[in-house]
Amino acid sequence: MDFYTYTLPNGIRGIHRQVRSKVAHCALAVNAGSRDELPSEHGLAHFTEHGFFKGTTHRKAFQVNCRLENLGGELNAYTTKEDTTIHSTFLRSDFSKAVELIADVAFNSTFPDKELAKERDVIIDEINTYKDAPTEMLFDTFEDMIFEGSDLGHNILGRKSSLARFDSESIKEFRRRTHTTDQMVFSSTGNFSPAVAEQVARRYLAEQEASVRGYDRVAPPTHTPFFKSVAKHTHQTHCIVGNRAYGILNPKRLALSLLINILGGPCANSRLNVLLREKRGLSYNIGAYYTPYCDSGVVFIYFSCDTDKTDLCLELIDNELRCLQTEPLSARRLSMAKKQFIAQLAITLDANEGCMLGLGKSLLVRDNLDTFEESCRKINAIKAEDIMEVATEIFSNNSTLMYR
């Protein structure tokens, strides 16, 4: 996988990957999410993302929404705990139009209070939707608890009461503090040369005034393991077992990613899927997940089952985790796991939009990227002892949260 990187005069970094396709993708990723909010601003990063589509100094809201859709393309955005990304998909011939539109909403949005009032109701409906989904609530509550006392320990959507306080000036002040050009990456993929990608990016993004972030994120403090059971009106028990994990810059991150894939990855032959679903028929939904942040991370195992099977599932999961900590994988099993992991990586890279977003995120956080060949070399260098060491460090003193 070949990619080209560049830096604009105002500090915005760029990355382009040329692919043979009639469809192209691009995105502006900003290293600002819910963890960059002040205590009085919870939910403001996500509210800001919604506000980008409510009109600019050049366009009304309907013109923002129709600019690419009338050409068969699309414009969208999302917010995480650490970044906000505006992204677009379009025919390759419309690349300049897409970049101009992204630049317009990112830098020229006016955030009119009349439009924000309507969007506030939309987000309240989004919050209510999450409350009706026990799985989503479980994930958010678990992260809130495991990162309690830190800027990672609150929900991205915020609360209805806090949303009521936000207005146009709140968003503008948040953007001034967090959306600085030294914290931005423009990523693109399409059937045009790196020179063209950089030229168009310079035309629409380089004119923005350079700005530098004036604060540093604070790493979350240590946490105390917990076990919590919450009564909910659900047919099944929904349960998470997990712990803190490595940040995205930690060299052990790759070994942990491989371990999570072995334990409860998306394939039917993951150890937990075989153990709980295939052999015993205890759970339809079972999987393991890892989310790295810039200075910390979280791993968790999620499953749902009939309430009277919960204790058995927890016992089987605990036994499997102990096995990974004490019994090294055989050379054959480790080799098969590596081949599977590498193949999944290759398939992911073949999906151009996901690859484009991933490259942008990597450059944003790590400021460098591994080629596919370098990633394969690092994966193949992982030893059975590395898997055991990571399993011991991560899965000792787990925390558990369940809705039952």
Side-chain angles (χ1 to χ4, degrees):
M1 178 184 64
D2 295 324
F3 48 80
Y4 171 77
T5 60
Y6 55 93
T7 302
L8 302 181
N10 56 10
I12 297 177
R13 289 162 288 163
I15 183 167
H16 176 69
R17 181 188 180 207
Q18 187 169 0
V19 296
R20 305 183 84 179
S21 175
K22 294 180 180 179
V23 177
H25 312 271
C26 69
L28 182 68
V30 185
N31 195 27
S34 62
R35 77 171 300 180
D36 299 289
E37 299 163 344
L38 300 176
S40 61
E41 295 177 335
H42 290 180
L44 186 53
H46 178 253
F47 193 48
T48 299
E49 174 227 311
H50 277 242
F52 280 134
F53 298 87
K54 298 300 141 186
T56 73
T57 54
H58 302 94
R59 292 180 171 93
K60 297 184 181 298
F62 78 91
Q63 292 173 319
V64 170
N65 293 325
C66 293
R67 174 59 169 158
L68 290 177
E69 277 76 359
N70 286 346
L71 301 173
E74 63 177 35
L75 178 71
N76 212 331
Y78 60 84
T79 305
T80 73
K81 291 199 170 183
E82 291 195 329
D83 59 85
T84 301
T85 299
I86 307 167
H87 58 100
S88 180
T89 297
F90 44 89
L91 292 179
R92 66 179 184 182
S93 57
D94 294 323
F95 178 53
S96 291
K97 297 181 179 68
V99 181
E100 186 275 331
L101 180 60
I102 287 178
D104 193 27
V105 300
F107 299 107
N108 301 319
S109 286
T110 54
F111 307 107
D113 284 321
K114 182 178 179 180
E115 293 291 336
L116 293 179
K118 291 185 288 186
E119 201 60 27
R120 188 179 291 111
D121 292 336
V122 171
I123 296 176
I124 289 174
D125 184 65
E126 187 177 358
I127 292 172
N128 291 334
T129 299
Y130 273 85
K131 287 184 176 180
D132 283 340
T135 307
E136 298 292 346
M137 283 190 65
L138 187 71
F139 293 163
D140 285 344
T141 304
F142 184 79
E143 280 213 9
D144 290 352
M145 293 176 67
I146 210 162
F147 289 116
E148 186 178 8
S150 79
D151 50 28
L152 287 168
H154 66 272
N155 188 286
I156 293 172
L157 297 180
R159 298 181 181 275
K160 298 176 185 179
S161 56
S162 60
L163 285 172
R165 298 193 303 267
F166 302 150
D167 57 15
S168 177
E169 190 53 42
S170 303
I171 292 178
K172 291 175 182 177
E173 176 56 34
F174 178 75
R175 285 177 66 239
R176 280 193 292 268
R177 190 179 79 249
T178 63
H179 286 220
T180 52
T181 57
D182 68 320
Q183 301 294 328
M184 295 181 180
V185 165
F186 180 72
S187 178
S188 59
T189 181
N191 195 9
F192 41 88
S193 70
V196 169
E198 182 177 358
Q199 178 186 23
V200 174
R202 284 182 179 274
R203 185 187 310 160
Y204 296 112
L205 298 173
E207 64 184 23
Q208 305 304 322
E209 184 178 351
S211 52
V212 178
R213 175 169 292 178
Y215 68 92
D216 293 319
R217 289 169 174 167
V218 178
T222 57
H223 84 290
T224 302
F226 56 83
F227 181 95
K228 184 174 183 179
S229 179
V230 180
K232 291 283 183 180
H233 297 294
T234 57
H235 177 72
Q236 291 185 309
T237 294
H238 297 264
C239 185
I240 281 182
V241 178
N243 207 341
R244 291 270 189 91
Y246 309 127
I248 200 167
L249 301 178
N250 194 303
K252 295 182 180 180
R253 176 179 61 88
L254 196 58
L256 177 57
S257 297
L258 177 59
L259 168 62
I260 293 300
N261 204 58
I262 293 168
L263 181 64
C267 293
N269 66 347
S270 70
R271 291 175 67 145
L272 290 179
N273 191 72
V274 170
L275 180 64
L276 269 69
R277 176 174 174 167
E278 300 300 329
K279 287 186 176 181
R280 295 174 178 261
L282 295 172
S283 175
Y284 175 73
N285 293 305
I286 174 72
Y289 308 88
Y290 168 38
T291 302
Y293 297 113
C294 67
D295 49 16
S296 186
V298 59
V299 296
F300 59 85
I301 298 162
Y302 162 78
F303 69 90
S304 60
C305 67
D306 291 341
T307 301
D308 60 347
K309 302 295 193 303
T310 305
D311 291 341
L312 176 56
C313 287
L314 286 171
E315 180 183 350
L316 291 171
I317 290 170
D318 185 62
N319 290 339
E320 195 67 21
L321 294 177
R322 292 181 185 276
C323 180
L324 285 167
Q325 295 174 47
T326 57
E327 299 178 16
L329 295 172
S330 68
R332 179 174 177 274
R333 286 197 171 187
L334 182 58
S335 176
M336 290 174 60
K338 290 177 181 178
K339 289 180 180 178
Q340 182 187 63
F341 195 46
I342 289 171
Q344 290 171 339
L345 176 61
I347 292 170
T348 299
L349 294 175
D350 200 49
N352 291 332
E353 182 179 27
C355 178
M356 179 271 300
L357 293 171
L359 289 174
K361 173 71 172 179
S362 295
L363 187 61
L364 187 68
V365 177
R366 298 170 58 201
D367 203 29
N368 64 1
L369 299 99
D370 290 335
T371 64
F372 177 69
E373 292 72 23
E374 290 169 337
S375 296
C376 292
R377 179 183 58 78
K378 290 181 179 180
I379 293 169
N380 283 321
I382 296 172
K383 301 176 182 178
E385 292 78 10
D386 299 328
I387 299 294
M388 292 176 62
E389 178 183 346
V390 167
T392 301
E393 290 181 356
I394 298 300
F395 288 115
S396 298
N397 300 317
N398 293 315
S399 295
T400 301
L401 172 65
M402 66 175 69
Y403 289 164
R404 59 192 313 173

